[in-house]
Amino acid sequence: MKLTSGESEEAVLNIDPSFRFADLRQDDRVFRLFYDNNNAIIKRARIVDQHSNLMVARGRGSYFWGTARFEFIGGEVFKVKLDRNRNGYEIIGPNGPLFKVENFGISPVKTLNERDFLAQAFFCF
């Protein structure tokens, strides 16, 4: 799957056939996105830089209680909210919508920075 961001030309998201992880290549950086135990629960989410084996972000909380968030290595907390409607749903980050599903299809959403882009790629996976 090819993704585009504001800073670079394009990024490529390669998903493993077992759906256990995905590799995101953007310019010269490679990130690995994965859920633990192949469940779509945000508290089991991890984003790892493949060159340094450093965990860039990890998921915490839950959508049900309204505490879902990504905690990045620099200490930034990136809160996300799940907003459901009858035609789909929307993941909302601190800077606006990150991921939008309307009528069973993914709608394009612009990102502002790298944290937005990584979170958006995670939800595309």
Side-chain angles (χ1 to χ4, degrees):
M1 172 185 303
K2 291 185 179 180
L3 305 170
T4 58
S5 73
E7 296 103 30
S8 67
E9 294 297 316
E10 72 178 26
V12 178
L13 183 66
N14 295 323
I15 299 173
D16 182 57
S18 66
F19 292 105
R20 294 196 180 268
F21 64 89
D23 288 330
L24 176 67
R25 296 185 197 308
Q26 179 187 16
D27 297 333
D28 60 342
R29 298 185 73 185
V30 180
F31 297 99
R32 180 158 284 176
L33 317 166
F34 62 93
Y35 287 118
D36 187 32
N37 296 330
N38 201 17
N39 292 324
I41 301 170
I42 194 165
K43 67 181 174 183
R44 295 183 178 161
R46 305 290 183 267
I47 301 174
V48 178
D49 186 357
Q50 285 296 95
H51 294 302
S52 64
N53 289 332
L54 181 68
M55 186 171 24
V56 176
R58 79 183 298 171
R60 293 282 194 194
S62 76
Y63 296 114
F64 181 76
W65 298 108
T67 59
R69 65 196 181 277
F70 281 102
E71 293 178 352
F72 284 87
I73 187 108
E76 302 98 5
V77 176
F78 193 84
K79 294 182 181 180
V80 293
K81 177 182 154 190
L82 178 65
D83 185 23
R84 295 183 190 272
N85 61 37
R86 59 187 158 136
N87 292 330
Y89 64 94
E90 184 175 25
I91 304 290
I92 302 168
N95 300 322
L98 287 175
F99 184 75
K100 186 184 262 187
V101 174
E102 292 179 323
N103 299 325
F104 302 104
I106 299 173
S107 297
V109 176
K110 289 192 170 215
T111 58
L112 298 177
N113 53 36
E114 185 180 71
R115 291 187 308 272
D116 282 355
F117 184 67
L118 286 174
Q120 183 185 53
F122 188 81
F123 289 109
C124 287
F125 165 55

